[in-house]
């Protein structure tokens, strides 16, 4: 499911032994994923290990249908791999924190990488890299403004994406437009932190919908 060219739609790739061995070892120890090139350290985006979310979903779907005869069960998969989907409007892959369907896929790396950090941060990073300096200094200036790896806030954020996957499955309703709702599909880290942590609940419309479902 690896993406090798983020500007091209998914193409099946014949993996070499090294790639197969890597995937096998990641299955045994998911922490190995953290040793791969992060987006912020990548010289070229191709150096980041990205996975096609729909391809992962298809594979997991096949495994589930072989083992679970009840198609009414919702399966939600958590991964620390960076899941992406190809967008034909701008012809490139974009990181995704959640792919709603059954199985739904929630990516912790996607929570960190998919919603954008402040615009000024990217300028500062660019300047810093041009001067050959460590970007950690820039990150310090934006302390807490966006999620990072091992961020303590990630589990709370994951709850929001979990809610989105469950809601989508139960109601077929996609994300909520209101920032005051945990079902909001944030494009910015600022909005994500606002909806999930500062607001931390559903909007009136979605709360009423949940109440009607008599859970
Ligand atoms: Zn809502």
């Amino acid at each position: 499911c690896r993406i090798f060219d983020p500007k091209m739609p998914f193409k099946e790739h014949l993996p070499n032994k090294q790639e197969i061995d890597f995937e096998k070892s990641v299955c045994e120890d998911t922490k190995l994923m953290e040793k791969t090139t992060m987006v912020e350290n990548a010289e070229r985006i191709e150096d980041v290990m990205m996975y096609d979310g729909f391809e992962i979903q298809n594979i997991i779907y096949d495994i589930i249908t072989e083992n679970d005869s009840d198609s009414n069960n919702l399966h939600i998969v958590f991964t620390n791999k960076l899941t992406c989907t190809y967008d034909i409007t701008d012809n490139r892959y974009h990181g995704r924190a959640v792919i709603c369907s059954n199985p739904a896929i929630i990516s912790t790396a996607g929570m960190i990488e998919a919603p954008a950090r402040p615009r000024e941060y990217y300028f500062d990073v660019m300047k810093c890299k041009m001067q050959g300096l460590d970007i950690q200094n820039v990150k310090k200036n934006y302390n807490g403004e966006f999620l990072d790896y091992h961020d303590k806030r990630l589990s709370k954020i994951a709850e929001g994406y979990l809610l989105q996957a469950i809601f989508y499955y139960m109601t077929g309703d996609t994300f909520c437009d209101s920032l005051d709702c945990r079902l909001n599909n944030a494009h910015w880290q600022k909005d994500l932190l606002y909806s999930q942590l500062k607001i931390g609940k559903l909007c009136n419309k979605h709360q009423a919908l949940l109440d009607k479902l008599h859970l």
Side-chain angles (χ1 to χ4, degrees):
C1 308
R2 281 268 312 274
I3 300 161
F4 289 90
D5 183 352
K7 293 189 191 72
M8 294 291 288
F10 184 75
K11 260 199 281 204
E12 219 162 277
H13 164 81
L14 201 63
N16 60 33
K17 186 171 180 311
Q18 201 189 352
E19 287 160 354
I20 295 171
D21 286 347
F22 174 78
E23 292 300 331
K24 276 186 187 162
S25 39
V26 164
C27 285
E28 280 161 21
D29 180 7
T30 54
K31 279 206 165 76
L32 286 174
M33 223 41 231
E34 295 169 12
K35 297 207 173 89
T36 63
T37 310
M38 305 277 170
V39 174
E40 62 188 30
N41 300 325
E43 278 178 30
R44 303 172 324 139
I45 194 69
E46 289 86 342
D47 297 336
V48 177
M49 290 195 128
M50 295 175 285
Y51 295 81
D52 186 301
F54 291 133
E55 292 295 320
I56 294 188
Q57 201 169 42
N58 288 340
I59 291 171
I60 297 173
Y61 176 82
D62 289 342
I63 297 170
I64 291 169
T65 42
E66 275 169 33
N67 296 286
D68 181 2
S69 52
D70 187 356
S71 59
N72 288 323
N73 290 333
L74 169 63
H75 295 263
I76 301 174
V77 179
F78 278 89
T79 178
N80 64 350
K81 289 180 171 173
L82 180 56
T83 48
C84 303
T85 55
Y86 192 78
D87 190 342
I88 48 163
T89 54
D90 60 0
N91 297 316
R92 67 180 192 93
Y93 271 99
H94 294 270
R96 294 277 293 264
V98 61
I99 297 173
C100 292
S101 182
N102 189 13
I105 298 177
I106 298 176
S107 159
T108 48
M111 294 177 207
I112 298 160
E113 306 290 0
R117 297 173 183 187
R119 269 199 192 95
E120 301 77 32
Y121 166 82
Y122 294 109
F123 289 127
D124 288 351
V125 164
M126 226 164 18
K127 267 193 272 175
C128 186
K129 280 187 173 171
M130 267 165 20
Q131 292 167 346
L133 301 170
D134 187 354
I135 65 155
Q136 292 308 321
N137 294 322
V138 177
K139 284 177 106 175
K140 264 186 221 150
N141 295 338
Y142 290 87
N143 194 17
E145 286 185 42
F146 51 80
L147 293 170
D148 208 344
Y149 293 88
H150 301 289
D151 201 304
K152 285 199 174 63
R153 297 170 293 183
L154 276 168
S155 49
K156 201 83 195 149
I157 302 287
E159 280 176 21
Y161 284 113
L162 197 54
L163 269 172
Q164 293 178 7
I166 297 169
F167 249 85
Y168 179 76
Y169 179 72
M170 292 195 315
T171 66
D173 230 7
T174 43
F175 308 108
C176 182
D177 293 332
S178 168
L179 275 178
D180 295 342
C181 181
R182 294 194 86 178
L183 303 184
N184 181 264
N185 179 25
H187 296 292
W188 295 92
Q189 288 279 332
K190 184 168 80 73
D191 295 343
L192 178 67
L193 297 173
Y194 175 82
S195 303
Q196 302 302 338
L197 303 178
K198 188 140 194 282
I199 296 298
K201 53 186 171 67
L202 299 172
C203 68
N204 293 340
K205 181 185 130 195
H206 282 110
Q207 186 59 50
L209 203 65
L210 186 66
D211 293 342
K212 253 206 286 188
L213 290 167
H214 299 298
L215 287 178

